[in-house]
Amino acid sequence: MTKPLEAPQDGTVSALLEENRIFKPSDSFRSKALLQDERIYKEAEANRENFWSDQAKKLDWYQPWDKILEWKTPFAKWFLNGKLNASYNCLDRHMKTDRKNKTAIIWEGEPGEVRKLTYEDLYHETNKFANVLKSLGVRKGDRIAIYMPMIPEAAMAMLASARIGAIHTVVFGGFSPESLKDRINDAGAKLLITADGGWRRGKIIGLKDLSDEAVKACPTIENILVVKRLEDQDTQMKDGRDHWYHDLKEKVADYCEPEQMDSEDILFTLYTSGTTGKPKGIIHTTGGYMTGVTTTMKLVFDLQEDDVFWCTADVGWVTGHSYIVYGPMANGVTQIMYEGAPDWPKRDRFWSIIEKYGVTKFYTAPTAIRAFMKWGHQWPQKHDLSSLRLLGSVGEPINPEAWIWYHKHIGSEQCPIVDTWWQTETGCILITPLPGITDLKPGSATRPFPGIEAKVFKEDGTVIKEGGGYLGLTSPWPSMLRGIWGDEERYKQQYWSKWPNIYFTGDGAKIDADGYYWLLGRVDDVINIAGHRLGTMEVESALVDHTSVAESAVVGISDEIKGTAIAAFVILKDGHTAGDEMDKTLKQHVVKKIGAIARPSKIIFTEDLPKTRSGKIMRRLLRDIAEGRALGDVTTLADASILESLKEKYQEE
Ligand code: WT7
């Protein structure tokens, strides 16, 4: 279900549409860039399949494929019958080169500890980790849930899973035990890997305790493997079920032969929110995903051997999978991994890390940039950021104001900014500048990556050459999702039913006279809170789960820092009273059900909701009310008087 395309109304979007500055790559950047001219676009366009197979050849395969692509809409297979292993490509192959002794990860804990691991260290650790998994009975095709803080062992756990052909499902450490439980049960995971805890803004997040809570209702979990990250943490271990990683590690062999995986064998599933109350397990397979992330990592970030790359995402999101684990490691990159908050202990933590380790490429989210902007440029100014050569942005549209601030105060007007559009489903970056080639326009993700075909459509499926509409992808790409775990019907329905043979992204987009793409945000019942995707229905289900709530409707409203925040309209059951107490209780309930990212910013208690005559809640009108706009078309409304009282209530709030 999509909302009708309305005139863009929030601040980001209207600012986007007025933006017309252009930033060309500097001569000094271009002259050293991997790609300096348009040729790659033309080559890829001439033959997309050959372009991708040339990229795939840069990976190490045990057995080459005998067909590049089989496309039976909506089911794609790439590199058919090719055999490879993702962990081999991220680790083993570097053992034969100088990269063996190169630093893979420079890790900083929030309290300030530092660990440096070379590719060889990571290789040894991952081999052991893989043997530990085997010792716990994990076999090819089994599912492993990973619920970890940002520590190197999170990456090792993923690589170890890939090494033995298991399927990992990473669950963001900020999600609640309930969310973890739902994902474990949907995936049917037999092992949960967690840690005693991690640090966030000076506090310990007790992941093992949260895990214990979750697995109470997870019949498939046989074992919990616990990595020790904290000191003096009193951790309850259940005999026979819970195991310390450092104990088991002592008992296993040093080497684990990587499983030879078929190109189409599943590498991982990752849950993401959709338009229903239930998150969906997005399936990614081995050959195509590795090809997509390895190629985009190298070309979008213009990788050079001496780069120090830093992606500030968490491994619990797809960005962490593709641009902390698989993309950087397949390319043998040195990278920073930081555990904690950007404002801990002070608001210059990121800039101090960049200075300390000489970070050259920095990849973060607009929501973070807007927070930095609000905190003021005196914080980055305290540090020497001259090592930076390129900046990246991901997760939501970046407003031109934030873009310009980032360019000026972080990049000293020297660094190209790659605004990268993609999704959990796309696996890798699909719309992006190539930094040595593309003239940048602040707020535009510019053009589809070579080998990618994206178009803007009208509701009826006609292509728009210039103007606004919906973004669709018109030909298959290697790292595309292969489905939704256990729900083929939902896969077809969600992505392939809007127009025949075209993947529907759920995003609005505009294409300008120069053919530049401007992403305008979600057009379905999905909202993007600080770069994190949530379904409005998920939040509604969490609210009505509370005994006092009869009905609720959730909408996204614009927010200076988060981009979008949550406003919830709530009807209470008889006998329950609205007020500050109830407000607090319900917000807390949503946090308990989903996690802190889902906490509503505003709850508006009401006796009624605007509905169509067929009973459908008109969210569009609720957004209008919540954002104080003139109300759109109300002719389909069953009872228009509800609106006036709602508007009054809202203004009181
Ligand atoms: C949704 C995907 C891609 C990894 C992080 C989020 C929005 C993402 C951009 C961008 C405008 C963007 C879209 C997309 N989005 N990047 N550069 N410009 N919007 O992954 O949780 O799967 O969310 O994030 O709305 O559909 P995700």
Side-chain angles (χ1 to χ4, degrees), residues 143 342 638:
R143 274 81 62 210

Side-chain angles (χ1 to χ4, degrees), residues 175 179 182-183 271-280 490 525-527 533-545 552 554 566 590 593-595 597-598 619:
F175 276 126
S179 296
D182 289 344
R183 287 158 172 78
Y271 285 79
T272 190
S273 297
T275 49
T276 71
K278 191 172 165 273
K280 46 197 177 179
R490 190 173 175 193
D525 290 328
V526 168
I527 43 182
R533 204 207 283 200
L534 265 182
T536 49
M537 294 259 290
E538 259 176 282
V539 184
E540 287 165 6
S541 316
L543 283 164
V544 296
D545 177 79
S552 89
V554 163
I566 297 172
V590 175
K593 293 293 285 185
I594 304 176
I597 52 170
R619 285 203 176 65

Side-chain angles (χ1 to χ4, degrees), residues 64-228:
W65 53 93
D66 44 48
K67 191 174 178 201
I68 300 171
L69 170 67
E70 181 193 281
W71 179 225
K72 295 182 181 154
T73 323
F75 300 103
K77 288 184 180 162
W78 282 87
F79 314 119
L80 285 82
N81 298 317
K83 306 273 184 266
L84 79 168
N85 182 284
S87 139
Y88 182 95
N89 274 283
C90 291
L91 301 169
D92 304 47
R93 65 168 173 166
H94 305 317
M95 294 308 107
K96 299 173 217 151
T97 71
D98 291 347
R99 285 181 181 157
K100 182 174 172 181
N101 298 315
K102 185 173 171 179
T103 304
I105 297 178
I106 303 170
W107 175 81
E108 231 184 70
E110 193 184 70
E113 320 94 301
V114 177
R115 284 167 71 189
K116 290 188 184 177
L117 291 107
T118 63
Y119 271 97
E120 191 180 16
D121 297 334
L122 202 58
Y123 166 80
H124 286 310
E125 286 288 327
T126 301
N127 271 279
K128 289 241 177 201
F129 212 123
N131 282 330
V132 167
L133 298 183
K134 280 188 168 171
S135 77
L136 292 171
V138 182
R139 299 286 173 264
K140 183 177 171 183
D142 287 345
R143 274 81 62 210
I144 299 176
I146 299 179
Y147 187 57
M148 295 271 263
M150 280 294 285
I151 55 175
E153 282 76 9
M156 289 170 201
M158 292 162 73
L159 292 168
S161 166
R163 194 166 189 89
I164 66 170
I167 298 169
H168 60 68
T169 292
V170 184
V171 180
F172 172 55
F175 276 126
S176 67
E178 277 228 29
S179 296
L180 175 60
K181 175 202 78 182
D182 289 344
R183 287 158 172 78
I184 288 175
N185 288 339
D186 191 76
K190 64 196 263 189
L191 174 71
L192 170 61
I193 308 177
T194 188
D196 45 359
W199 289 95
R200 183 82 193 178
R201 210 167 266 120
K203 285 205 197 94
I204 286 176
I205 314 282
L207 291 169
K208 173 61 167 63
D209 293 344
L210 299 171
S211 297
D212 287 344
E213 182 66 32
V215 299
K216 278 183 195 156
C218 295
T220 56
I221 289 290
E222 294 167 4
N223 295 289
I224 303 184
L225 182 61
V226 188
V227 174
K228 191 161 170 51

Side-chain angles (χ1 to χ4, degrees), residues 2 43 210 289 294 406 496 586 601 626 653:
T2 50
E43 279 164 19
L210 299 171
Y289 174 80
T294 308
Y406 196 31
W496 302 95
L586 294 183
S601 296
E653 303 275 330

Side-chain angles (χ1 to χ4, degrees), residues 463-518:
V463 174
I464 296 171
K465 286 262 179 280
E466 195 187 327
Y470 305 106
L471 185 70
L473 304 169
T474 49
S475 60
W477 65 102
S479 65
M480 65 193 279
L481 76 165
R482 298 301 194 266
I484 294 175
W485 184 261
D487 202 343
E488 194 175 294
E489 212 27 62
R490 190 173 175 193
Y491 169 67
K492 292 187 196 156
Q493 187 56 37
Q494 182 79 49
Y495 304 105
W496 302 95
S497 65
K498 196 168 174 68
W499 312 296
N501 286 314
I502 293 158
Y503 171 92
F504 174 53
T505 61
D507 278 339
K510 188 194 90 155
I511 195 153
D512 73 14
D514 299 325
Y516 275 50
Y517 291 66
W518 301 76

